[in-house]
PDB file of all heavy atoms in Angstrom:
ATOM      1  N   LEU A 793      19.384  15.191 -11.815  1.00  0.00           N
ATOM      2  CA  LEU A 793      18.048  15.145 -11.233  1.00  0.00           C
ATOM      3  C   LEU A 793      17.472  16.530 -10.980  1.00  0.00           C
ATOM      4  O   LEU A 793      16.262  16.725 -11.028  1.00  0.00           O
ATOM      5  CB  LEU A 793      18.092  14.352  -9.921  1.00  0.00           C
ATOM      6  CG  LEU A 793      16.763  14.032  -9.253  1.00  0.00           C
ATOM      7  CD1 LEU A 793      15.848  13.282 -10.187  1.00  0.00           C
ATOM      8  CD2 LEU A 793      16.992  13.239  -7.979  1.00  0.00           C
ATOM      9  N   TYR A 794      18.323  17.506 -10.727  1.00  0.00           N
ATOM     10  CA  TYR A 794      17.826  18.832 -10.399  1.00  0.00           C
ATOM     11  C   TYR A 794      17.445  19.656 -11.629  1.00  0.00           C
ATOM     12  O   TYR A 794      16.929  20.764 -11.512  1.00  0.00           O
ATOM     13  CB  TYR A 794      18.854  19.604  -9.568  1.00  0.00           C
ATOM     14  CG  TYR A 794      20.230  19.682 -10.193  1.00  0.00           C
ATOM     15  CD1 TYR A 794      20.534  20.664 -11.127  1.00  0.00           C
ATOM     16  CD2 TYR A 794      21.221  18.771  -9.838  1.00  0.00           C
ATOM     17  CE1 TYR A 794      21.792  20.734 -11.699  1.00  0.00           C
ATOM     18  CE2 TYR A 794      22.487  18.827 -10.405  1.00  0.00           C
ATOM     19  CZ  TYR A 794      22.774  19.811 -11.336  1.00  0.00           C
ATOM     20  OH  TYR A 794      24.011  19.874 -11.907  1.00  0.00           O
ATOM     21  N   HIS A 795      17.668  19.140 -12.839  1.00  0.00           N
ATOM     22  CA  HIS A 795      17.277  19.859 -14.055  1.00  0.00           C
ATOM     23  C   HIS A 795      15.774  19.733 -14.278  1.00  0.00           C
ATOM     24  O   HIS A 795      15.193  18.657 -14.122  1.00  0.00           O
ATOM     25  CB  HIS A 795      18.019  19.309 -15.273  1.00  0.00           C
ATOM     26  CG  HIS A 795      19.400  19.864 -15.426  1.00  0.00           C
ATOM     27  ND1 HIS A 795      20.067  19.895 -16.630  1.00  0.00           N
ATOM     28  CD2 HIS A 795      20.250  20.406 -14.528  1.00  0.00           C
ATOM     29  CE1 HIS A 795      21.260  20.429 -16.461  1.00  0.00           C
ATOM     30  NE2 HIS A 795      21.395  20.752 -15.182  1.00  0.00           N
ATOM     31  N   LYS A 796      15.131  20.823 -14.684  1.00  0.00           N
ATOM     32  CA  LYS A 796      13.711  20.797 -14.999  1.00  0.00           C
ATOM     33  C   LYS A 796      13.464  20.499 -16.471  1.00  0.00           C
ATOM     34  O   LYS A 796      12.373  20.051 -16.851  1.00  0.00           O
ATOM     35  CB  LYS A 796      13.059  22.134 -14.632  1.00  0.00           C
ATOM     36  CG  LYS A 796      13.080  22.461 -13.146  1.00  0.00           C
ATOM     37  CD  LYS A 796      12.346  23.761 -12.867  1.00  0.00           C
ATOM     38  CE  LYS A 796      12.440  24.167 -11.407  1.00  0.00           C
ATOM     39  NZ  LYS A 796      11.890  23.178 -10.494  1.00  0.00           N
ATOM     40  N   PHE A 797      14.472  20.755 -17.322  1.00  0.00           N
ATOM     41  CA  PHE A 797      14.342  20.519 -18.755  1.00  0.00           C
ATOM     42  C   PHE A 797      15.578  19.783 -19.256  1.00  0.00           C
ATOM     43  O   PHE A 797      16.677  19.956 -18.720  1.00  0.00           O
ATOM     44  CB  PHE A 797      14.174  21.843 -19.515  1.00  0.00           C
ATOM     45  CG  PHE A 797      12.954  22.622 -19.108  1.00  0.00           C
ATOM     46  CD1 PHE A 797      13.027  23.566 -18.084  1.00  0.00           C
ATOM     47  CD2 PHE A 797      11.739  22.417 -19.724  1.00  0.00           C
ATOM     48  CE1 PHE A 797      11.916  24.281 -17.694  1.00  0.00           C
ATOM     49  CE2 PHE A 797      10.611  23.128 -19.348  1.00  0.00           C
ATOM     50  CZ  PHE A 797      10.699  24.058 -18.329  1.00  0.00           C
ATOM     51  N   CYS A 798      15.374  18.968 -20.277  1.00  0.00           N
ATOM     52  CA  CYS A 798      16.485  18.191 -20.830  1.00  0.00           C
ATOM     53  C   CYS A 798      17.566  19.130 -21.358  1.00  0.00           C
ATOM     54  O   CYS A 798      17.279  20.059 -22.112  1.00  0.00           O
ATOM     55  CB  CYS A 798      15.970  17.283 -21.950  1.00  0.00           C
ATOM     56  SG  CYS A 798      17.278  16.326 -22.759  1.00  0.00           S
ATOM     57  N   GLN A 799      18.805  18.876 -20.964  1.00  0.00           N
ATOM     58  CA  GLN A 799      19.907  19.741 -21.374  1.00  0.00           C
ATOM     59  C   GLN A 799      20.252  19.583 -22.842  1.00  0.00           C
ATOM     60  O   GLN A 799      20.949  20.418 -23.410  1.00  0.00           O
ATOM     61  CB  GLN A 799      21.144  19.447 -20.517  1.00  0.00           C
ATOM     62  CG  GLN A 799      21.580  18.006 -20.542  1.00  0.00           C
ATOM     63  CD  GLN A 799      22.630  17.689 -19.487  1.00  0.00           C
ATOM     64  OE1 GLN A 799      23.109  18.573 -18.783  1.00  0.00           O
ATOM     65  NE2 GLN A 799      22.997  16.423 -19.373  1.00  0.00           N
ATOM     66  N   ARG A 800      19.701  18.538 -23.494  1.00  0.00           N
ATOM     67  CA  ARG A 800      19.977  18.332 -24.915  1.00  0.00           C
ATOM     68  C   ARG A 800      18.844  18.855 -25.795  1.00  0.00           C
ATOM     69  O   ARG A 800      19.099  19.538 -26.796  1.00  0.00           O
ATOM     70  CB  ARG A 800      20.201  16.850 -25.211  1.00  0.00           C
ATOM     71  CG  ARG A 800      20.463  16.554 -26.697  1.00  0.00           C
ATOM     72  CD  ARG A 800      20.566  15.061 -26.971  1.00  0.00           C
ATOM     73  NE  ARG A 800      21.713  14.467 -26.289  1.00  0.00           N
ATOM     74  CZ  ARG A 800      21.955  13.158 -26.272  1.00  0.00           C
ATOM     75  NH1 ARG A 800      21.122  12.315 -26.886  1.00  0.00           N
ATOM     76  NH2 ARG A 800      23.017  12.692 -25.628  1.00  0.00           N
ATOM     77  N   CYS A 801      17.583  18.559 -25.453  1.00  0.00           N
ATOM     78  CA  CYS A 801      16.474  18.913 -26.351  1.00  0.00           C
ATOM     79  C   CYS A 801      15.434  19.824 -25.708  1.00  0.00           C
ATOM     80  O   CYS A 801      14.431  20.162 -26.350  1.00  0.00           O
ATOM     81  CB  CYS A 801      15.794  17.654 -26.880  1.00  0.00           C
ATOM     82  SG  CYS A 801      14.855  16.742 -25.626  1.00  0.00           S
ATOM     83  N   SER A 802      15.623  20.211 -24.444  1.00  0.00           N
ATOM     84  CA  SER A 802      14.737  21.137 -23.719  1.00  0.00           C
ATOM     85  C   SER A 802      13.359  20.567 -23.419  1.00  0.00           C
ATOM     86  O   SER A 802      12.443  21.311 -23.052  1.00  0.00           O
ATOM     87  CB  SER A 802      14.583  22.459 -24.494  1.00  0.00           C
ATOM     88  OG  SER A 802      15.825  23.093 -24.647  1.00  0.00           O
ATOM     89  N   THR A 803      13.178  19.259 -23.538  1.00  0.00           N
ATOM     90  CA  THR A 803      11.914  18.636 -23.158  1.00  0.00           C
ATOM     91  C   THR A 803      11.761  18.687 -21.636  1.00  0.00           C
ATOM     92  O   THR A 803      12.727  18.435 -20.917  1.00  0.00           O
ATOM     93  CB  THR A 803      11.871  17.172 -23.636  1.00  0.00           C
ATOM     94  OG1 THR A 803      11.926  17.148 -25.053  1.00  0.00           O
ATOM     95  CG2 THR A 803      10.602  16.466 -23.165  1.00  0.00           C
ATOM     96  N   PRO A 804      10.570  19.013 -21.121  1.00  0.00           N
ATOM     97  CA  PRO A 804      10.380  19.007 -19.659  1.00  0.00           C
ATOM     98  C   PRO A 804      10.693  17.636 -19.067  1.00  0.00           C
ATOM     99  O   PRO A 804      10.364  16.594 -19.657  1.00  0.00           O
ATOM    100  CB  PRO A 804       8.901  19.356 -19.494  1.00  0.00           C
ATOM    101  CG  PRO A 804       8.541  20.107 -20.731  1.00  0.00           C
ATOM    102  CD  PRO A 804       9.356  19.478 -21.824  1.00  0.00           C
ATOM    103  N   LEU A 805      11.319  17.640 -17.893  1.00  0.00           N
ATOM    104  CA  LEU A 805      11.683  16.395 -17.219  1.00  0.00           C
ATOM    105  C   LEU A 805      10.772  16.185 -16.011  1.00  0.00           C
ATOM    106  O   LEU A 805      10.972  16.806 -14.963  1.00  0.00           O
ATOM    107  CB  LEU A 805      13.147  16.448 -16.759  1.00  0.00           C
ATOM    108  CG  LEU A 805      14.198  16.585 -17.862  1.00  0.00           C
ATOM    109  CD1 LEU A 805      15.577  16.819 -17.241  1.00  0.00           C
ATOM    110  CD2 LEU A 805      14.220  15.356 -18.753  1.00  0.00           C
ATOM    111  N   PRO A 806       9.749  15.362 -16.132  1.00  0.00           N
ATOM    112  CA  PRO A 806       8.865  15.129 -14.987  1.00  0.00           C
ATOM    113  C   PRO A 806       9.570  14.324 -13.901  1.00  0.00           C
ATOM    114  O   PRO A 806      10.234  13.319 -14.171  1.00  0.00           O
ATOM    115  CB  PRO A 806       7.700  14.331 -15.594  1.00  0.00           C
ATOM    116  CG  PRO A 806       8.270  13.673 -16.806  1.00  0.00           C
ATOM    117  CD  PRO A 806       9.328  14.594 -17.328  1.00  0.00           C
ATOM    118  N   ARG A 807       9.444  14.803 -12.657  1.00  0.00           N
ATOM    119  CA  ARG A 807      10.003  14.064 -11.519  1.00  0.00           C
ATOM    120  C   ARG A 807       8.852  13.361 -10.812  1.00  0.00           C
ATOM    121  O   ARG A 807       8.082  13.993 -10.091  1.00  0.00           O
ATOM    122  CB  ARG A 807      10.754  15.005 -10.576  1.00  0.00           C
ATOM    123  CG  ARG A 807      12.034  15.542 -11.189  1.00  0.00           C
ATOM    124  CD  ARG A 807      12.905  16.237 -10.172  1.00  0.00           C
ATOM    125  NE  ARG A 807      12.331  17.495  -9.694  1.00  0.00           N
ATOM    126  CZ  ARG A 807      12.988  18.361  -8.927  1.00  0.00           C
ATOM    127  NH1 ARG A 807      14.227  18.117  -8.564  1.00  0.00           N
ATOM    128  NH2 ARG A 807      12.401  19.469  -8.530  1.00  0.00           N
ATOM    129  N   ARG A 808       8.728  12.077 -11.042  1.00  0.00           N
ATOM    130  CA  ARG A 808       7.612  11.303 -10.511  1.00  0.00           C
ATOM    131  C   ARG A 808       8.070  10.492  -9.310  1.00  0.00           C
ATOM    132  O   ARG A 808       8.665   9.419  -9.450  1.00  0.00           O
ATOM    133  CB  ARG A 808       7.026  10.401 -11.604  1.00  0.00           C
ATOM    134  CG  ARG A 808       6.354  11.206 -12.718  1.00  0.00           C
ATOM    135  CD  ARG A 808       5.807  10.346 -13.812  1.00  0.00           C
ATOM    136  NE  ARG A 808       5.236  11.175 -14.867  1.00  0.00           N
ATOM    137  CZ  ARG A 808       5.116  10.807 -16.129  1.00  0.00           C
ATOM    138  NH1 ARG A 808       5.519   9.600 -16.500  1.00  0.00           N
ATOM    139  NH2 ARG A 808       4.581  11.616 -17.026  1.00  0.00           N
ATOM    140  N   TYR A 809       7.808  11.056  -8.145  1.00  0.00           N
ATOM    141  CA  TYR A 809       8.088  10.361  -6.899  1.00  0.00           C
ATOM    142  C   TYR A 809       6.884   9.482  -6.571  1.00  0.00           C
ATOM    143  O   TYR A 809       5.735   9.932  -6.637  1.00  0.00           O
ATOM    144  CB  TYR A 809       8.349  11.362  -5.773  1.00  0.00           C
ATOM    145  CG  TYR A 809       9.593  12.179  -6.000  1.00  0.00           C
ATOM    146  CD1 TYR A 809       9.529  13.442  -6.589  1.00  0.00           C
ATOM    147  CD2 TYR A 809      10.842  11.680  -5.640  1.00  0.00           C
ATOM    148  CE1 TYR A 809      10.676  14.186  -6.803  1.00  0.00           C
ATOM    149  CE2 TYR A 809      11.992  12.423  -5.839  1.00  0.00           C
ATOM    150  CZ  TYR A 809      11.902  13.670  -6.426  1.00  0.00           C
ATOM    151  OH  TYR A 809      13.043  14.402  -6.637  1.00  0.00           O
ATOM    152  N   LEU A 810       7.156   8.252  -6.214  1.00  0.00           N
ATOM    153  CA  LEU A 810       6.108   7.258  -6.028  1.00  0.00           C
ATOM    154  C   LEU A 810       6.176   6.675  -4.625  1.00  0.00           C
ATOM    155  O   LEU A 810       7.265   6.470  -4.074  1.00  0.00           O
ATOM    156  CB  LEU A 810       6.250   6.136  -7.073  1.00  0.00           C
ATOM    157  CG  LEU A 810       6.402   6.603  -8.530  1.00  0.00           C
ATOM    158  CD1 LEU A 810       6.793   5.433  -9.421  1.00  0.00           C
ATOM    159  CD2 LEU A 810       5.116   7.250  -9.032  1.00  0.00           C
ATOM    160  N   TRP A 811       5.006   6.408  -4.075  1.00  0.00           N
ATOM    161  CA  TRP A 811       4.915   5.794  -2.757  1.00  0.00           C
ATOM    162  C   TRP A 811       4.726   4.295  -2.931  1.00  0.00           C
ATOM    163  O   TRP A 811       3.800   3.855  -3.608  1.00  0.00           O
ATOM    164  CB  TRP A 811       3.761   6.392  -1.965  1.00  0.00           C
ATOM    165  CG  TRP A 811       3.565   5.798  -0.600  1.00  0.00           C
ATOM    166  CD1 TRP A 811       2.601   4.934  -0.213  1.00  0.00           C
ATOM    167  CD2 TRP A 811       4.385   6.031   0.557  1.00  0.00           C
ATOM    168  NE1 TRP A 811       2.742   4.602   1.114  1.00  0.00           N
ATOM    169  CE2 TRP A 811       3.838   5.274   1.614  1.00  0.00           C
ATOM    170  CE3 TRP A 811       5.515   6.802   0.802  1.00  0.00           C
ATOM    171  CZ2 TRP A 811       4.385   5.266   2.895  1.00  0.00           C
ATOM    172  CZ3 TRP A 811       6.058   6.793   2.078  1.00  0.00           C
ATOM    173  CH2 TRP A 811       5.497   6.038   3.105  1.00  0.00           C
ATOM    174  N   ALA A 812       5.615   3.514  -2.357  1.00  0.00           N
ATOM    175  CA  ALA A 812       5.554   2.056  -2.468  1.00  0.00           C
ATOM    176  C   ALA A 812       4.715   1.489  -1.333  1.00  0.00           C
ATOM    177  O   ALA A 812       5.066   1.639  -0.160  1.00  0.00           O
ATOM    178  CB  ALA A 812       6.964   1.462  -2.445  1.00  0.00           C
ATOM    179  N   VAL A 813       3.600   0.862  -1.666  1.00  0.00           N
ATOM    180  CA  VAL A 813       2.696   0.284  -0.675  1.00  0.00           C
ATOM    181  C   VAL A 813       3.158  -1.131  -0.371  1.00  0.00           C
ATOM    182  O   VAL A 813       3.054  -2.029  -1.220  1.00  0.00           O
ATOM    183  CB  VAL A 813       1.240   0.277  -1.173  1.00  0.00           C
ATOM    184  CG1 VAL A 813       0.315  -0.349  -0.133  1.00  0.00           C
ATOM    185  CG2 VAL A 813       0.792   1.694  -1.507  1.00  0.00           C
ATOM    186  N   GLY A 814       3.675  -1.339   0.831  1.00  0.00           N
ATOM    187  CA  GLY A 814       4.173  -2.667   1.165  1.00  0.00           C
ATOM    188  C   GLY A 814       4.194  -2.941   2.642  1.00  0.00           C
ATOM    189  O   GLY A 814       5.154  -3.513   3.156  1.00  0.00           O
ATOM    190  N   ASP A 815       3.161  -2.508   3.361  1.00  0.00           N
ATOM    191  CA  ASP A 815       3.046  -2.771   4.797  1.00  0.00           C
ATOM    192  C   ASP A 815       4.261  -2.275   5.574  1.00  0.00           C
ATOM    193  O   ASP A 815       4.727  -2.913   6.520  1.00  0.00           O
ATOM    194  CB  ASP A 815       2.845  -4.269   5.065  1.00  0.00           C
ATOM    195  CG  ASP A 815       1.544  -4.784   4.473  1.00  0.00           C
ATOM    196  OD1 ASP A 815       0.568  -3.999   4.470  1.00  0.00           O
ATOM    197  OD2 ASP A 815       1.506  -5.923   4.024  1.00  0.00           O
ATOM    198  N   GLY A 816       4.812  -1.131   5.151  1.00  0.00           N
ATOM    199  CA  GLY A 816       5.921  -0.532   5.871  1.00  0.00           C
ATOM    200  C   GLY A 816       7.272  -1.172   5.614  1.00  0.00           C
ATOM    201  O   GLY A 816       8.273  -0.762   6.190  1.00  0.00           O
ATOM    202  N   LEU A 817       7.306  -2.190   4.755  1.00  0.00           N
ATOM    203  CA  LEU A 817       8.578  -2.846   4.470  1.00  0.00           C
ATOM    204  C   LEU A 817       9.422  -1.971   3.557  1.00  0.00           C
ATOM    205  O   LEU A 817       8.924  -1.354   2.630  1.00  0.00           O
ATOM    206  CB  LEU A 817       8.327  -4.201   3.811  1.00  0.00           C
ATOM    207  CG  LEU A 817       7.557  -5.232   4.654  1.00  0.00           C
ATOM    208  CD1 LEU A 817       7.321  -6.504   3.846  1.00  0.00           C
ATOM    209  CD2 LEU A 817       8.330  -5.554   5.932  1.00  0.00           C
ATOM    210  N   SER A 818      10.701  -1.927   3.795  1.00  0.00           N
ATOM    211  CA  SER A 818      11.604  -1.138   2.975  1.00  0.00           C
ATOM    212  C   SER A 818      11.810  -1.811   1.633  1.00  0.00           C
ATOM    213  O   SER A 818      11.973  -3.029   1.546  1.00  0.00           O
ATOM    214  CB  SER A 818      12.944  -0.962   3.690  1.00  0.00           C
ATOM    215  OG  SER A 818      13.864  -0.285   2.860  1.00  0.00           O
ATOM    216  N   VAL A 819      11.779  -0.998   0.559  1.00  0.00           N
ATOM    217  CA  VAL A 819      12.003  -1.558  -0.775  1.00  0.00           C
ATOM    218  C   VAL A 819      13.492  -1.610  -1.103  1.00  0.00           C
ATOM    219  O   VAL A 819      13.879  -2.229  -2.107  1.00  0.00           O
ATOM    220  CB  VAL A 819      11.260  -0.732  -1.841  1.00  0.00           C
ATOM    221  CG1 VAL A 819       9.760  -0.835  -1.653  1.00  0.00           C
ATOM    222  CG2 VAL A 819      11.709   0.731  -1.831  1.00  0.00           C
ATOM    223  N   GLY A 820      14.308  -0.961  -0.307  1.00  0.00           N
ATOM    224  CA  GLY A 820      15.736  -0.967  -0.570  1.00  0.00           C
ATOM    225  C   GLY A 820      16.423   0.154   0.171  1.00  0.00           C
ATOM    226  O   GLY A 820      15.809   0.901   0.935  1.00  0.00           O
ATOM    227  N   SER A 821      17.698   0.286  -0.070  1.00  0.00           N
ATOM    228  CA  SER A 821      18.481   1.338   0.576  1.00  0.00           C
ATOM    229  C   SER A 821      18.560   2.557  -0.337  1.00  0.00           C
ATOM    230  O   SER A 821      18.570   2.416  -1.571  1.00  0.00           O
ATOM    231  CB  SER A 821      19.895   0.837   0.875  1.00  0.00           C
ATOM    232  OG  SER A 821      19.848  -0.304   1.723  1.00  0.00           O
ATOM    233  N   PRO A 822      18.609   3.778   0.230  1.00  0.00           N
ATOM    234  CA  PRO A 822      18.724   4.978  -0.595  1.00  0.00           C
ATOM    235  C   PRO A 822      19.891   4.879  -1.563  1.00  0.00           C
ATOM    236  O   PRO A 822      21.005   4.511  -1.185  1.00  0.00           O
ATOM    237  CB  PRO A 822      18.941   6.094   0.438  1.00  0.00           C
ATOM    238  CG  PRO A 822      18.261   5.587   1.671  1.00  0.00           C
ATOM    239  CD  PRO A 822      18.504   4.104   1.674  1.00  0.00           C
ATOM    240  N   GLY A 823      19.612   5.198  -2.809  1.00  0.00           N
ATOM    241  CA  GLY A 823      20.628   5.108  -3.850  1.00  0.00           C
ATOM    242  C   GLY A 823      20.534   3.858  -4.689  1.00  0.00           C
ATOM    243  O   GLY A 823      21.099   3.805  -5.792  1.00  0.00           O
ATOM    244  N   ASP A 824      19.809   2.835  -4.213  1.00  0.00           N
ATOM    245  CA  ASP A 824      19.612   1.628  -5.009  1.00  0.00           C
ATOM    246  C   ASP A 824      18.736   1.934  -6.220  1.00  0.00           C
ATOM    247  O   ASP A 824      17.861   2.800  -6.179  1.00  0.00           O
ATOM    248  CB  ASP A 824      18.945   0.530  -4.181  1.00  0.00           C
ATOM    249  CG  ASP A 824      19.853  -0.022  -3.095  1.00  0.00           C
ATOM    250  OD1 ASP A 824      21.067   0.288  -3.132  1.00  0.00           O
ATOM    251  OD2 ASP A 824      19.344  -0.750  -2.219  1.00  0.00           O
ATOM    252  N   VAL A 825      18.980   1.193  -7.292  1.00  0.00           N
ATOM    253  CA  VAL A 825      18.128   1.279  -8.477  1.00  0.00           C
ATOM    254  C   VAL A 825      17.441  -0.062  -8.643  1.00  0.00           C
ATOM    255  O   VAL A 825      18.098  -1.102  -8.765  1.00  0.00           O
ATOM    256  CB  VAL A 825      18.930   1.641  -9.743  1.00  0.00           C
ATOM    257  CG1 VAL A 825      18.020   1.629 -10.966  1.00  0.00           C
ATOM    258  CG2 VAL A 825      19.582   3.012  -9.585  1.00  0.00           C
ATOM    259  N   LEU A 826      16.126  -0.045  -8.657  1.00  0.00           N
ATOM    260  CA  LEU A 826      15.329  -1.264  -8.742  1.00  0.00           C
ATOM    261  C   LEU A 826      14.745  -1.416 -10.136  1.00  0.00           C
ATOM    262  O   LEU A 826      14.283  -0.435 -10.738  1.00  0.00           O
ATOM    263  CB  LEU A 826      14.201  -1.225  -7.709  1.00  0.00           C
ATOM    264  CG  LEU A 826      14.619  -0.922  -6.258  1.00  0.00           C
ATOM    265  CD1 LEU A 826      13.393  -0.823  -5.370  1.00  0.00           C
ATOM    266  CD2 LEU A 826      15.574  -1.994  -5.750  1.00  0.00           C
ATOM    267  N   ALA A 827      14.776  -2.653 -10.622  1.00  0.00           N
ATOM    268  CA  ALA A 827      14.238  -2.983 -11.948  1.00  0.00           C
ATOM    269  C   ALA A 827      14.849  -2.100 -13.032  1.00  0.00           C
ATOM    270  O   ALA A 827      14.197  -1.786 -14.032  1.00  0.00           O
ATOM    271  CB  ALA A 827      12.714  -2.853 -11.950  1.00  0.00           C
ATOM    272  N   ASP A 828      16.112  -1.690 -12.825  1.00  0.00           N
ATOM    273  CA  ASP A 828      16.842  -0.855 -13.776  1.00  0.00           C
ATOM    274  C   ASP A 828      16.088   0.437 -14.089  1.00  0.00           C
ATOM    275  O   ASP A 828      16.210   0.995 -15.176  1.00  0.00           O
ATOM    276  CB  ASP A 828      17.099  -1.619 -15.078  1.00  0.00           C
ATOM    277  CG  ASP A 828      18.123  -0.913 -15.968  1.00  0.00           C
ATOM    278  OD1 ASP A 828      19.030  -0.260 -15.416  1.00  0.00           O
ATOM    279  OD2 ASP A 828      17.987  -0.983 -17.204  1.00  0.00           O
ATOM    280  N   ARG A 829      15.317   0.910 -13.100  1.00  0.00           N
ATOM    281  CA  ARG A 829      14.460   2.062 -13.395  1.00  0.00           C
ATOM    282  C   ARG A 829      14.191   2.949 -12.189  1.00  0.00           C
ATOM    283  O   ARG A 829      14.291   4.167 -12.284  1.00  0.00           O
ATOM    284  CB  ARG A 829      13.136   1.555 -13.971  1.00  0.00           C
ATOM    285  CG  ARG A 829      12.106   2.635 -14.245  1.00  0.00           C
ATOM    286  CD  ARG A 829      10.923   2.112 -15.001  1.00  0.00           C
ATOM    287  NE  ARG A 829       9.983   3.158 -15.341  1.00  0.00           N
ATOM    288  CZ  ARG A 829       8.928   3.000 -16.136  1.00  0.00           C
ATOM    289  NH1 ARG A 829       8.692   1.809 -16.667  1.00  0.00           N
ATOM    290  NH2 ARG A 829       8.123   4.008 -16.400  1.00  0.00           N
ATOM    291  N   TYR A 830      13.861   2.361 -11.057  1.00  0.00           N
ATOM    292  CA  TYR A 830      13.365   3.125  -9.916  1.00  0.00           C
ATOM    293  C   TYR A 830      14.479   3.376  -8.906  1.00  0.00           C
ATOM    294  O   TYR A 830      15.075   2.439  -8.371  1.00  0.00           O
ATOM    295  CB  TYR A 830      12.199   2.394  -9.253  1.00  0.00           C
ATOM    296  CG  TYR A 830      11.011   2.224 -10.175  1.00  0.00           C
ATOM    297  CD1 TYR A 830      10.755   0.993 -10.782  1.00  0.00           C
ATOM    298  CD2 TYR A 830      10.167   3.303 -10.447  1.00  0.00           C
ATOM    299  CE1 TYR A 830       9.671   0.840 -11.635  1.00  0.00           C
ATOM    300  CE2 TYR A 830       9.082   3.149 -11.296  1.00  0.00           C
ATOM    301  CZ  TYR A 830       8.841   1.918 -11.890  1.00  0.00           C
ATOM    302  OH  TYR A 830       7.766   1.769 -12.737  1.00  0.00           O
ATOM    303  N   LEU A 831      14.764   4.654  -8.663  1.00  0.00           N
ATOM    304  CA  LEU A 831      15.781   5.059  -7.711  1.00  0.00           C
ATOM    305  C   LEU A 831      15.162   5.141  -6.321  1.00  0.00           C
ATOM    306  O   LEU A 831      14.172   5.853  -6.110  1.00  0.00           O
ATOM    307  CB  LEU A 831      16.357   6.427  -8.106  1.00  0.00           C
ATOM    308  CG  LEU A 831      17.332   7.072  -7.120  1.00  0.00           C
ATOM    309  CD1 LEU A 831      18.617   6.257  -7.006  1.00  0.00           C
ATOM    310  CD2 LEU A 831      17.635   8.515  -7.543  1.00  0.00           C
ATOM    311  N   VAL A 832      15.730   4.418  -5.361  1.00  0.00           N
ATOM    312  CA  VAL A 832      15.222   4.446  -3.998  1.00  0.00           C
ATOM    313  C   VAL A 832      15.669   5.742  -3.324  1.00  0.00           C
ATOM    314  O   VAL A 832      16.862   6.027  -3.218  1.00  0.00           O
ATOM    315  CB  VAL A 832      15.726   3.228  -3.192  1.00  0.00           C
ATOM    316  CG1 VAL A 832      15.233   3.317  -1.746  1.00  0.00           C
ATOM    317  CG2 VAL A 832      15.262   1.926  -3.838  1.00  0.00           C
TER     318      VAL A 832
END
């Protein structure tokens, strides 16, 4: 996660942190992966 560029092909790695709008409800516990894609 701390790499800025792909270690194989040097493509920039965008870190897209997203805010989940859900009336303050927790989407999960830190470290969970949701929908096989989103890291909590």
Side-chain angles (χ1 to χ4, degrees):
L793 188 56
Y794 54 85
H795 278 203
K796 296 183 184 301
F797 299 91
C798 177
Q799 56 191 355
R800 179 185 296 174
C801 70
S802 299
T803 297
L805 298 172
R807 291 192 291 189
R808 293 178 183 155
Y809 295 95
L810 310 169
W811 179 255
V813 179
D815 297 326
L817 298 177
S818 175
V819 295
S821 301
D824 291 348
V825 176
L826 308 176
D828 193 32
R829 176 171 184 172
Y830 298 103
L831 173 66
V832 177

